[in-house]
Coordinates of all heavy atoms in Angstrom, one line a residue:
M42 N 24.9 57.8 -42.1 CA 24.3 57.2 -40.9 C 24.2 58.1 -39.7 O 23.2 58.2 -39.1 CB 25.0 55.9 -40.6 CG 24.4 55.2 -39.4 SD 25.2 53.6 -39.1 CE 25.3 53.6 -37.4
L43 N 25.3 58.9 -39.5 CA 25.3 59.8 -38.3 C 24.4 61.0 -38.6 O 23.9 61.5 -37.6 CB 26.8 60.3 -38.1 CG 27.7 59.3 -37.5 CD1 29.1 59.9 -37.4 CD2 27.3 58.7 -36.2
R44 N 24.2 61.4 -39.8 CA 23.4 62.5 -40.1 C 21.9 62.3 -39.7 O 21.2 63.2 -39.5 CB 23.4 62.9 -41.6 CG 24.8 63.5 -42.0 CD 24.8 63.8 -43.4 NE 26.1 64.3 -43.8 CZ 26.5 65.5 -44.0 NH1 25.6 66.5 -43.8 NH2 27.7 65.8 -44.3
S45 N 21.5 61.0 -39.7 CA 20.1 60.7 -39.4 C 19.9 60.8 -37.9 O 18.7 60.8 -37.4 CB 19.7 59.3 -39.9 OG 20.5 58.3 -39.2
L46 N 20.9 60.8 -37.1 CA 20.8 60.9 -35.6 C 20.5 62.4 -35.2 O 21.0 63.3 -35.9 CB 22.0 60.4 -34.9 CG 22.3 58.9 -35.1 CD1 23.7 58.6 -34.5 CD2 21.2 58.1 -34.4
P47 N 19.8 62.6 -34.1 CA 19.7 64.0 -33.6 C 21.1 64.5 -33.2 O 22.0 63.8 -33.0 CB 18.9 63.8 -32.3 CG 18.2 62.5 -32.5 CD 19.1 61.7 -33.3
F48 N 21.2 65.9 -33.2 CA 22.5 66.5 -33.0 C 23.3 66.0 -31.8 O 24.5 65.7 -32.0 CB 22.3 68.1 -32.9 CG 23.6 68.8 -32.8 CD1 24.4 69.0 -33.9 CD2 24.0 69.3 -31.6 CE1 25.6 69.7 -33.8 CE2 25.1 70.0 -31.5 CZ 25.9 70.2 -32.6
P49 N 22.8 65.9 -30.6 CA 23.6 65.5 -29.5 C 24.1 64.0 -29.7 O 25.2 63.6 -29.3 CB 22.7 65.6 -28.3 CG 21.7 66.5 -28.6 CD 21.5 66.4 -30.1
L50 N 23.2 63.2 -30.2 CA 23.6 61.8 -30.4 C 24.7 61.6 -31.5 O 25.5 60.7 -31.4 CB 22.4 60.9 -30.8 CG 21.4 60.7 -29.7 CD1 20.2 59.9 -30.2 CD2 22.0 60.1 -28.5
R51 N 24.7 62.5 -32.5 CA 25.8 62.4 -33.5 C 27.1 62.6 -32.8 O 28.1 61.9 -33.1 CB 25.6 63.5 -34.5 CG 24.9 63.0 -35.8 CD 24.9 64.1 -36.8 NE 23.9 65.1 -36.4 CZ 23.6 66.2 -37.1 NH1 24.2 66.4 -38.3 NH2 22.7 67.0 -36.7
H52 N 27.2 63.6 -31.9 CA 28.5 63.9 -31.2 C 28.8 62.7 -30.3 O 30.0 62.4 -30.2 CB 28.4 65.2 -30.5 CG 28.4 66.4 -31.4 ND1 29.4 66.7 -32.1 CD2 27.4 67.3 -31.7 CE1 29.1 67.8 -32.9 NE2 27.9 68.1 -32.6
M53 N 27.9 62.1 -29.7 CA 28.2 61.0 -28.8 C 28.7 59.8 -29.6 O 29.6 59.1 -29.2 CB 26.9 60.6 -28.0 CG 26.5 61.6 -27.0 SD 27.7 62.0 -25.7 CE 27.7 60.4 -24.9
A54 N 28.1 59.6 -30.8 CA 28.6 58.5 -31.6 C 30.0 58.7 -32.1 O 30.8 57.8 -32.1 CB 27.6 58.3 -32.8
R55 N 30.3 60.0 -32.5 CA 31.7 60.3 -32.9 C 32.7 60.1 -31.7 O 33.8 59.6 -31.8 CB 31.8 61.7 -33.4 CG 31.1 61.8 -34.8 CD 31.3 63.2 -35.3 NE 30.6 63.4 -36.6 CZ 30.0 64.5 -37.0 NH1 30.0 65.5 -36.2 NH2 29.5 64.5 -38.1
L56 N 32.2 60.6 -30.5 CA 33.1 60.5 -29.3 C 33.3 59.0 -29.0 O 34.4 58.6 -28.6 CB 32.4 61.2 -28.2 CG 33.2 61.2 -26.9 CD1 34.5 62.0 -27.1 CD2 32.4 61.9 -25.8
A57 N 32.3 58.2 -29.1 CA 32.5 56.7 -28.8 C 33.4 56.1 -29.8 O 34.3 55.3 -29.5 CB 31.1 56.0 -28.9
A58 N 33.4 56.5 -31.1 CA 34.3 56.0 -32.1 C 35.7 56.4 -31.8 O 36.6 55.6 -31.9 CB 33.8 56.4 -33.5
V59 N 35.9 57.6 -31.4 CA 37.3 58.1 -31.1 C 37.8 57.4 -29.9 O 38.9 57.0 -29.8 CB 37.3 59.6 -30.9 CG1 38.6 60.1 -30.3 CG2 37.0 60.3 -32.2
A60 N 37.0 57.2 -28.9 CA 37.4 56.5 -27.6 C 37.7 55.1 -27.9 O 38.7 54.6 -27.4 CB 36.3 56.6 -26.6
A61 N 37.0 54.4 -28.8 CA 37.3 53.0 -29.1 C 38.6 52.9 -29.9 O 39.4 52.0 -29.6 CB 36.2 52.4 -30.0
A62 N 38.9 53.9 -30.8 CA 40.1 53.9 -31.5 C 41.3 54.1 -30.6 O 42.4 53.5 -30.7 CB 40.1 54.9 -32.6
L63 N 41.2 55.1 -29.6 CA 42.2 55.3 -28.7 C 42.5 54.2 -27.7 O 43.6 53.8 -27.4 CB 41.9 56.6 -27.8 CG 42.0 57.9 -28.6 CD1 41.5 59.0 -27.7 CD2 43.4 58.2 -29.0
L64 N 41.4 53.5 -27.3 CA 41.6 52.3 -26.5 C 42.3 51.2 -27.2 O 43.2 50.6 -26.6 CB 40.2 51.8 -26.0 CG 40.2 50.6 -25.1 CD1 41.0 51.0 -23.8 CD2 38.8 50.2 -24.7
A65 N 42.0 51.0 -28.5 CA 42.7 49.9 -29.2 C 44.1 50.3 -29.4 O 45.0 49.4 -29.4 CB 42.0 49.8 -30.6
A66 N 44.4 51.6 -29.7 CA 45.8 52.0 -29.9 C 46.6 51.9 -28.6 O 47.7 51.4 -28.6 CB 45.9 53.4 -30.4
G67 N 46.0 52.2 -27.4 CA 46.7 52.1 -26.1 C 46.9 50.6 -25.8 O 48.0 50.3 -25.2
T68 N 46.0 49.7 -26.1 CA 46.2 48.3 -25.8 C 47.3 47.7 -26.7 O 48.2 47.0 -26.2 CB 44.9 47.5 -26.1 OG1 43.9 48.1 -25.3 CG2 45.1 46.1 -25.7
A69 N 47.4 48.1 -27.9 CA 48.4 47.6 -28.8 C 49.8 48.2 -28.4 O 50.8 47.5 -28.5 CB 48.1 48.1 -30.2
A70 N 49.9 49.4 -27.9 CA 51.1 50.0 -27.5 C 51.6 49.4 -26.1 O 52.8 49.5 -25.8 CB 51.0 51.5 -27.4
A71 N 50.7 48.9 -25.3 CA 51.0 48.4 -24.0 C 51.8 47.1 -24.0 O 52.6 46.9 -23.2 CB 49.7 48.3 -23.2
A72 N 51.5 46.3 -25.0 CA 52.1 45.0 -25.0 C 53.6 45.0 -25.1 O 54.3 44.3 -24.4 CB 51.5 44.1 -26.2
P73 N 54.2 45.9 -25.9 CA 55.7 45.9 -26.0 C 56.3 46.3 -24.7 O 57.4 45.8 -24.3 CB 56.0 46.9 -27.1 CG 54.8 46.9 -27.9 CD 53.7 46.7 -27.0
N74 N 55.7 47.2 -23.9 CA 56.2 47.7 -22.6 C 56.2 46.5 -21.6 O 57.2 46.4 -20.9 CB 55.4 48.8 -22.1 CG 55.5 50.1 -22.9 OD1 56.5 50.3 -23.6 ND2 54.5 50.9 -22.8
V75 N 55.2 45.7 -21.6 CA 55.2 44.6 -20.7 C 56.3 43.6 -21.1 O 57.0 43.1 -20.2 CB 53.8 43.9 -20.7 CG1 53.8 42.6 -19.9 CG2 52.8 44.8 -20.1
S76 N 56.4 43.2 -22.3 CA 57.4 42.2 -22.7 C 58.8 42.8 -22.5 O 59.7 42.0 -22.2 CB 57.2 41.7 -24.1 OG 57.1 42.8 -25.0
A77 N 59.0 44.1 -22.7 CA 60.4 44.6 -22.5 C 60.7 44.6 -21.0 O 61.9 44.3 -20.6 CB 60.4 46.1 -23.0
A78 N 59.8 44.8 -20.1 CA 60.0 44.8 -18.7 C 60.2 43.3 -18.1 O 60.8 43.2 -17.1 CB 58.9 45.5 -17.9
Q79 N 59.7 42.3 -18.9 CA 59.9 40.9 -18.4 C 61.4 40.6 -18.3 O 61.7 39.9 -17.3 CB 59.2 40.0 -19.4 CG 57.7 39.9 -19.2 CD 57.1 38.8 -20.1 OE1 57.8 38.2 -20.9 NE2 55.8 38.6 -19.9
A80 N 62.2 41.0 -19.2 CA 63.6 40.7 -19.1 C 64.2 41.3 -17.9 O 65.0 40.7 -17.2 CB 64.3 41.1 -20.3
E81 N 63.8 42.6 -17.6 CA 64.3 43.3 -16.4 C 63.8 42.6 -15.1 O 64.6 42.5 -14.2 CB 63.8 44.7 -16.4 CG 64.2 45.5 -17.7 CD 65.7 45.7 -17.8 OE1 66.4 45.8 -16.7 OE2 66.2 45.8 -18.9
A82 N 62.6 42.1 -15.1 CA 62.0 41.4 -14.0 C 62.8 40.1 -13.7 O 63.1 39.8 -12.5 CB 60.5 41.2 -14.2
K83 N 63.1 39.4 -14.7 CA 63.9 38.2 -14.6 C 65.3 38.5 -14.0 O 65.8 37.7 -13.2 CB 64.1 37.5 -15.9 CG 62.8 36.7 -16.4 CD 63.1 36.0 -17.7 CE 61.9 35.2 -18.2 NZ 62.2 34.5 -19.4
E84 N 65.9 39.5 -14.5 CA 67.2 39.9 -14.0 C 67.2 40.3 -12.5 O 68.0 39.9 -11.7 CB 67.8 41.1 -14.8 CG 69.2 41.5 -14.4 CD 70.2 40.3 -14.6 OE1 70.0 39.5 -15.5 OE2 71.1 40.3 -13.8
I85 N 66.1 41.0 -12.1 CA 66.0 41.4 -10.6 C 65.7 40.1 -9.8 O 66.3 39.9 -8.7 CB 64.9 42.4 -10.5 CG1 65.3 43.7 -11.0 CG2 64.5 42.5 -9.0 CD1 66.4 44.4 -10.4
A86 N 64.9 39.2 -10.3 CA 64.6 37.9 -9.6 C 65.9 37.1 -9.4 O 66.2 36.6 -8.3 CB 63.6 37.1 -10.4
K87 N 66.8 37.1 -10.4 CA 68.0 36.4 -10.3 C 69.0 37.0 -9.4 O 69.6 36.4 -8.6 CB 68.6 36.2 -11.7 CG 69.8 35.4 -11.8 CD 70.2 35.2 -13.3 CE 71.4 34.3 -13.4 NZ 71.9 34.2 -14.8
S88 N 69.2 38.4 -9.5 CA 70.3 39.0 -8.8 C 69.9 39.4 -7.4 O 70.7 39.2 -6.4 CB 70.7 40.3 -9.5 OG 69.6 41.2 -9.6
M89 N 68.6 39.8 -7.1 CA 68.2 40.2 -5.8 C 67.4 39.2 -5.1 O 67.4 39.2 -3.8 CB 67.5 41.5 -5.9 CG 68.3 42.7 -6.4 SD 67.4 44.2 -6.5 CE 67.4 44.6 -4.7
G90 N 66.7 38.3 -5.8 CA 65.8 37.3 -5.1 C 66.4 35.9 -5.0 O 65.7 35.0 -4.6
N91 N 67.7 35.7 -5.4 CA 68.3 34.4 -5.4 C 67.4 33.4 -6.0 O 67.1 32.3 -5.5 CB 68.7 34.0 -4.0 CG 69.8 34.9 -3.5 OD1 70.6 35.4 -4.2 ND2 69.7 35.1 -2.2
C92 N 66.8 33.7 -7.2 CA 65.8 32.9 -7.9 C 66.3 32.7 -9.3 O 66.5 33.7 -10.0 CB 64.5 33.6 -7.8 SG 63.2 32.9 -8.8
T93 N 66.4 31.4 -9.8 CA 66.6 31.2 -11.2 C 65.2 31.3 -11.9 O 64.4 30.4 -11.6 CB 67.2 29.8 -11.4 OG1 68.4 29.7 -10.6 CG2 67.6 29.6 -12.9
P94 N 65.0 32.3 -12.7 CA 63.7 32.5 -13.3 C 63.2 31.4 -14.2 O 64.0 30.9 -15.0 CB 63.8 33.9 -14.0 CG 65.2 34.3 -13.9 CD 66.0 33.3 -13.1
A95 N 61.9 31.1 -14.0 CA 61.3 30.2 -14.9 C 60.1 30.9 -15.6 O 60.3 31.7 -16.5 CB 60.8 28.9 -14.2
K96 N 58.9 30.6 -15.2 CA 57.7 31.2 -15.8 C 57.5 32.6 -15.2 O 57.6 32.9 -14.0 CB 56.5 30.3 -15.4 CG 55.2 30.8 -16.1 CD 54.1 29.8 -15.7 CE 52.8 30.3 -16.3 NZ 51.7 29.4 -15.9
V97 N 57.1 33.5 -16.1 CA 56.8 34.9 -15.7 C 55.3 35.2 -16.0 O 54.9 35.0 -17.1 CB 57.7 35.9 -16.4 CG1 57.3 37.4 -16.0 CG2 59.2 35.6 -16.2
E98 N 54.6 35.7 -15.0 CA 53.2 36.0 -15.1 C 53.0 37.5 -14.8 O 53.6 38.0 -13.9 CB 52.3 35.2 -14.2 CG 52.3 33.7 -14.4 CD 51.5 33.0 -13.4 OE1 50.4 33.4 -13.1 OE2 52.0 32.0 -12.8
V99 N 52.1 38.1 -15.5 CA 51.7 39.5 -15.1 C 50.6 39.4 -14.1 O 49.5 38.9 -14.4 CB 51.2 40.3 -16.4 CG1 50.8 41.7 -16.0 CG2 52.4 40.3 -17.4
L100 N 50.8 40.0 -12.9 CA 49.8 40.1 -11.9 C 48.9 41.3 -12.0 O 47.7 41.3 -11.8 CB 50.4 40.1 -10.5 CG 51.2 38.8 -10.1 CD1 51.7 39.0 -8.7 CD2 50.2 37.6 -10.1
R101 N 49.6 42.4 -12.3 CA 48.8 43.7 -12.5 C 49.6 44.6 -13.5 O 50.8 44.7 -13.5 CB 48.8 44.4 -11.1 CG 47.9 45.7 -11.2 CD 47.8 46.3 -9.8 NE 49.1 46.7 -9.4 CZ 49.5 46.7 -8.1 NH1 48.7 46.3 -7.2 NH2 50.7 47.1 -7.8
Y102 N 48.8 45.2 -14.3 CA 49.3 46.1 -15.3 C 48.5 47.4 -15.3 O 47.3 47.4 -15.4 CB 49.3 45.5 -16.7 CG 49.8 46.4 -17.8 CD1 51.2 46.7 -17.9 CD2 49.0 47.0 -18.7 CE1 51.7 47.5 -18.8 CE2 49.5 47.8 -19.7 CZ 50.9 48.1 -19.7 OH 51.4 48.9 -20.7
T103 N 49.2 48.5 -15.0 CA 48.6 49.8 -15.0 C 49.1 50.7 -16.0 O 50.3 50.9 -16.1 CB 48.8 50.5 -13.6 OG1 48.5 49.6 -12.6 CG2 48.0 51.7 -13.4
V104 N 48.3 51.3 -16.9 CA 48.7 52.2 -17.9 C 48.6 53.6 -17.4 O 47.9 53.9 -16.4 CB 47.8 52.0 -19.2 CG1 48.1 50.6 -19.8 CG2 46.4 52.2 -18.9
G105 N 49.2 54.5 -18.1 CA 49.1 55.9 -17.8 C 50.5 56.5 -17.7 O 51.5 55.9 -18.0
R106 N 50.5 57.7 -17.2 CA 51.8 58.5 -17.1 C 52.8 57.8 -16.2 O 54.0 57.8 -16.4 CB 51.5 59.9 -16.6 CG 52.6 60.8 -16.8 CD 52.2 62.2 -16.5 NE 52.8 62.5 -15.2 CZ 52.5 63.6 -14.5 NH1 51.5 64.3 -14.9 NH2 53.0 63.8 -13.4
E107 N 52.3 57.2 -15.1 CA 53.1 56.5 -14.1 C 52.7 55.0 -14.1 O 52.5 54.5 -13.1 CB 53.0 57.1 -12.8 CG 53.5 58.5 -12.7 CD 53.5 59.1 -11.3 OE1 53.4 58.3 -10.3 OE2 53.6 60.3 -11.2
G108 N 52.6 54.4 -15.3 CA 52.2 53.1 -15.4 C 53.2 52.1 -14.8 O 54.4 52.4 -14.7
S109 N 52.7 51.0 -14.4 CA 53.6 50.0 -13.8 C 53.1 48.6 -14.1 O 51.9 48.4 -14.4 CB 53.8 50.2 -12.3 OG 52.5 49.9 -11.6
T110 N 54.0 47.6 -13.9 CA 53.6 46.2 -14.1 C 54.2 45.4 -13.0 O 55.3 45.6 -12.6 CB 54.2 45.7 -15.4 OG1 53.9 46.5 -16.5 CG2 53.7 44.3 -15.7
V111 N 53.4 44.5 -12.4 CA 53.8 43.7 -11.3 C 53.8 42.3 -11.9 O 52.9 41.8 -12.4 CB 52.9 43.8 -10.1 CG1 53.3 42.8 -9.0 CG2 52.8 45.2 -9.6
F112 N 55.0 41.6 -11.8 CA 55.2 40.3 -12.3 C 55.4 39.3 -11.1 O 55.9 39.6 -10.1 CB 56.5 40.2 -13.1 CG 56.5 41.0 -14.3 CD1 57.1 42.3 -14.4 CD2 55.9 40.6 -15.5 CE1 57.1 43.0 -15.5 CE2 55.9 41.3 -16.6 CZ 56.5 42.5 -16.7
K113 N 54.9 38.1 -11.4 CA 55.2 37.0 -10.5 C 56.2 36.1 -11.3 O 55.8 35.6 -12.3 CB 53.9 36.2 -10.2 CG 54.1 34.9 -9.4 CD 52.8 34.2 -9.1 CE 53.0 32.9 -8.4 NZ 51.7 32.2 -8.2
V114 N 57.4 35.9 -10.7 CA 58.4 35.2 -11.4 C 58.6 33.9 -10.7 O 59.0 33.9 -9.5 CB 59.7 36.0 -11.5 CG1 60.8 35.2 -12.2 CG2 59.5 37.3 -12.1
G115 N 58.3 32.8 -11.3 CA 58.5 31.5 -10.7 C 60.0 31.1 -10.7 O 60.7 31.5 -11.5
C116 N 60.4 30.3 -9.6 CA 61.8 29.9 -9.5 C 61.9 28.4 -9.8 O 61.0 27.7 -9.5 CB 62.2 30.2 -8.0 SG 62.1 31.9 -7.6
T117 N 63.0 28.1 -10.4 CA 63.2 26.7 -10.7 C 63.7 25.8 -9.5 O 63.6 24.6 -9.6 CB 64.3 26.5 -11.9 OG1 65.5 27.1 -11.4 CG2 63.8 27.2 -13.1
E118 N 64.2 26.5 -8.5 CA 64.7 25.8 -7.3 C 63.6 24.9 -6.6 O 63.9 23.9 -6.1 CB 65.3 26.7 -6.3 CG 66.6 27.4 -6.7 CD 66.4 28.5 -7.7 OE1 65.3 29.1 -7.7 OE2 67.4 28.9 -8.3
D119 N 62.4 25.5 -6.5 CA 61.3 24.8 -5.9 C 60.0 25.1 -6.7 O 59.8 26.2 -7.2 CB 61.1 25.4 -4.4 CG 60.1 24.6 -3.6 OD1 59.6 23.6 -4.1 OD2 59.7 25.1 -2.5
K120 N 59.2 24.1 -6.8 CA 57.9 24.2 -7.6 C 57.1 25.4 -7.1 O 56.5 26.1 -7.9 CB 57.2 22.9 -7.5 CG 55.9 22.9 -8.3 CD 55.1 21.6 -8.1 CE 53.8 21.7 -8.7 NZ 53.0 20.5 -8.4
D121 N 57.0 25.6 -5.8 CA 56.1 26.6 -5.2 C 56.8 27.9 -4.9 O 56.1 28.9 -4.5 CB 55.4 26.1 -4.0 CG 54.5 24.9 -4.2 OD1 53.9 24.9 -5.3 OD2 54.4 24.0 -3.4
A122 N 58.1 28.0 -5.2 CA 58.8 29.3 -4.9 C 58.6 30.3 -6.0 O 58.6 29.9 -7.2 CB 60.3 29.0 -4.7
F123 N 58.4 31.6 -5.6 CA 58.3 32.6 -6.6 C 58.7 34.0 -5.9 O 58.8 34.0 -4.7 CB 56.9 32.7 -7.2 CG 55.9 33.1 -6.1 CD1 55.6 34.5 -5.9 CD2 55.2 32.2 -5.4 CE1 54.6 34.8 -5.0 CE2 54.2 32.5 -4.5 CZ 53.9 33.8 -4.2
V124 N 59.0 35.0 -6.7 CA 59.3 36.3 -6.3 C 58.3 37.2 -7.0 O 57.8 36.9 -8.1 CB 60.7 36.8 -6.4 CG1 61.7 36.0 -5.6 CG2 61.1 36.7 -7.9
V125 N 58.0 38.4 -6.4 CA 57.2 39.4 -7.0 C 58.0 40.6 -7.3 O 58.7 41.1 -6.4 CB 56.0 39.7 -6.1 CG1 55.1 40.8 -6.7 CG2 55.2 38.5 -5.8
V126 N 58.0 41.1 -8.6 CA 58.8 42.2 -9.0 C 57.9 43.3 -9.6 O 57.0 42.9 -10.4 CB 59.8 41.7 -10.1 CG1 60.6 42.9 -10.6 CG2 60.7 40.6 -9.5
Q127 N 58.1 44.5 -9.2 CA 57.3 45.6 -9.8 C 58.2 46.4 -10.7 O 59.4 46.8 -10.3 CB 56.8 46.5 -8.7 CG 56.0 47.7 -9.3 CD 55.4 48.6 -8.2 OE1 56.0 48.7 -7.2 NE2 54.3 49.2 -8.5
C128 N 57.8 46.7 -11.9 CA 58.5 47.5 -12.9 C 57.7 48.8 -13.2 O 56.6 48.7 -13.6 CB 58.8 46.7 -14.1 SG 59.8 45.2 -13.9
R129 N 58.4 49.9 -13.2 CA 57.9 51.2 -13.7 C 58.8 51.6 -14.8 O 60.0 51.8 -14.6 CB 57.9 52.2 -12.6 CG 56.9 51.9 -11.5 CD 56.8 53.0 -10.5 NE 55.8 52.7 -9.6 CZ 55.9 52.8 -8.3 NH1 57.0 53.3 -7.8 NH2 54.9 52.5 -7.4
S130 N 58.2 51.6 -16.0 CA 59.0 51.8 -17.2 C 59.9 50.5 -17.3 O 59.4 49.4 -17.3 CB 59.8 53.1 -17.2 OG 60.5 53.2 -18.4
R131 N 61.2 50.7 -17.3 CA 62.1 49.5 -17.3 C 62.9 49.5 -16.0 O 63.9 48.8 -16.0 CB 62.9 49.5 -18.5 CG 62.1 49.2 -19.8 CD 62.9 49.0 -21.0 NE 63.8 47.9 -20.9 CZ 64.6 47.5 -21.9 NH1 64.7 48.2 -22.9 NH2 65.3 46.4 -21.7
I132 N 62.5 50.2 -15.0 CA 63.2 50.2 -13.7 C 62.4 49.3 -12.7 O 61.2 49.5 -12.5 CB 63.3 51.6 -13.1 CG1 64.1 52.5 -14.1 CG2 63.9 51.6 -11.7 CD1 64.1 53.9 -13.8
C133 N 63.0 48.2 -12.3 CA 62.3 47.2 -11.5 C 62.8 47.1 -10.1 O 64.0 47.4 -9.8 CB 62.4 45.8 -12.2 SG 61.8 45.8 -13.9
A134 N 61.9 46.6 -9.2 CA 62.3 46.5 -7.8 C 61.7 45.2 -7.3 O 60.5 44.8 -7.7 CB 61.9 47.6 -7.0
L135 N 62.4 44.5 -6.4 CA 61.9 43.3 -5.8 C 60.9 43.6 -4.7 O 61.2 44.4 -3.8 CB 63.0 42.5 -5.2 CG 62.7 41.1 -4.6 CD1 62.3 40.1 -5.8 CD2 63.9 40.5 -3.9
L136 N 59.6 43.1 -4.8 CA 58.6 43.4 -3.8 C 58.6 42.3 -2.7 O 58.4 42.6 -1.5 CB 57.2 43.5 -4.4 CG 57.0 44.7 -5.3 CD1 55.6 44.7 -5.9 CD2 57.3 46.0 -4.6
R137 N 58.8 41.1 -3.2 CA 58.7 39.9 -2.2 C 59.4 38.8 -2.7 O 59.4 38.4 -3.9 CB 57.2 39.6 -2.0 CG 56.9 38.5 -1.1 CD 55.4 38.3 -1.0 NE 55.2 36.9 -1.3 CZ 54.1 36.3 -1.2 NH1 53.0 37.0 -0.9 NH2 53.9 35.1 -1.5

């Protein structure tokens, strides 16, 4: 199929296939990092935010060499209470 395409388009098709494979691999590898950091985010919410953690939501996830995840951790003390925790790798800090 690729041989029937003109020379520059063949390379573009191969490049697109490689890019799609890398994107799929990066997305699959990202999920464990987020779930590993959730436990750390809950611990920071409990120890520094005086919040008994309930529901954890991902507000922002950035991949890359300096990737980070920002979590919104709901508190059981009040329905509308929450804290925001940012994790880089598995090192987390209370933002709000």
Side-chain angles (χ1 to χ4, degrees):
M42 180 173 140
L43 289 177
R44 290 181 186 256
S45 64
L46 294 173
F48 182 75
L50 290 178
R51 264 190 285 185
H52 289 291
M53 292 301 290
R55 286 185 184 145
L56 184 61
V59 169
L63 288 174
L64 182 61
T68 304
N74 292 337
V75 170
S76 54
Q79 280 184 355
E81 304 293 330
K83 284 183 177 182
E84 184 61 33
I85 291 295
K87 186 175 182 181
S88 63
M89 297 181 74
N91 293 330
C92 167
T93 305
K96 184 178 178 184
V97 178
E98 298 176 44
V99 176
L100 294 180
R101 183 177 64 215
Y102 180 69
T103 308
V104 293
R106 196 171 103 195
E107 295 184 18
S109 68
T110 308
V111 177
F112 295 99
K113 176 181 176 183
V114 182
C116 303
T117 58
E118 290 82 17
D119 184 10
K120 180 182 172 188
D121 296 326
F123 66 90
V124 294
V125 179
V126 178
Q127 180 180 28
C128 298
R129 292 187 176 134
S130 184
R131 290 185 65 179
I132 299 171
C133 300
L135 186 68
L136 294 181
R137 180 178 125 175

